[in-house]
């Protein structure tokens, strides 16, 4: 088990840093893949132009490191609340997670 989690006794090694060309290529690829994941029925209801503008805005938001970090923290908080519901009194953002939109 230890060798599966920490091969060679090393927990995590980062890969080589991406070049500017690789980053740009990945960003363009993600921008092209995002509309494919969006349901066609919803696209028809919202309209093509509105959908494209919304997906572009979503893509730009997901490029922001602070937004992605905040989303990650919120997901971790939700997982903790599912596992340990008694923590809802102590977690600072618990009330925001319970709000119905």
């Amino acid at each position: 088990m230890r060798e599966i989690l920490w091969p060679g006794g090393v927990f995590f090694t980062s890969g080589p840093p991406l070049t500017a060309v690789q980053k740009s290529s990945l960003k363009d690829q993600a921008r092209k893949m995002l509309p494919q994941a969006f349901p066609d029925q919803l696209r028809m209801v919202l309209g093509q132009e509105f959908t494209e503008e919304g997906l572009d805005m979503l893509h730009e938001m997901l490029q922001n490191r602070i937004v992605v970090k905040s989303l990650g923290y919120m997901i971790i908080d939700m997982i903790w609340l599912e596992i340990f519901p008694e923590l809802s009194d102590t977690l600072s953002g618990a009330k925001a997670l319970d709000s119905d939109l």
Side-chain angles (χ1 to χ4, degrees):
M1 181 67 148
R2 180 175 288 178
E3 191 60 31
I4 292 172
L5 295 175
W6 295 281
V10 178
F11 175 64
F12 177 77
T13 56
S14 59
L18 297 176
T19 64
V21 173
Q22 290 172 323
K23 287 180 184 180
S24 175
S25 173
L26 284 174
K27 186 175 181 177
D28 292 340
Q29 188 178 7
R31 189 179 292 270
K32 289 177 185 174
M33 290 177 68
L34 193 57
Q36 295 172 356
F38 198 74
D40 289 333
Q41 295 84 358
L42 195 54
R43 184 187 320 266
M44 290 172 57
V45 170
L46 296 175
Q48 186 68 25
E49 183 179 340
F50 189 70
T51 302
E52 287 176 7
E53 288 175 7
L55 290 175
D56 283 342
M57 187 182 302
L58 175 65
H59 181 265
E60 290 302 319
M61 286 174 49
L62 292 176
Q63 300 305 308
N64 187 330
R65 186 175 286 190
I66 295 171
V67 171
V68 173
K69 190 182 286 189
S70 295
L71 284 171
Y73 289 147
M74 288 180 71
I75 291 170
I76 290 171
D77 282 347
M78 290 185 340
I79 291 170
W80 277 117
L81 286 175
E82 286 296 317
I83 296 172
F84 305 108
E86 64 273 8
L87 290 178
S88 64
D89 294 339
T90 50
L91 287 178
S92 60
K95 290 182 181 176
L97 296 175
D98 287 336
S99 66
D100 293 328
L101 297 177

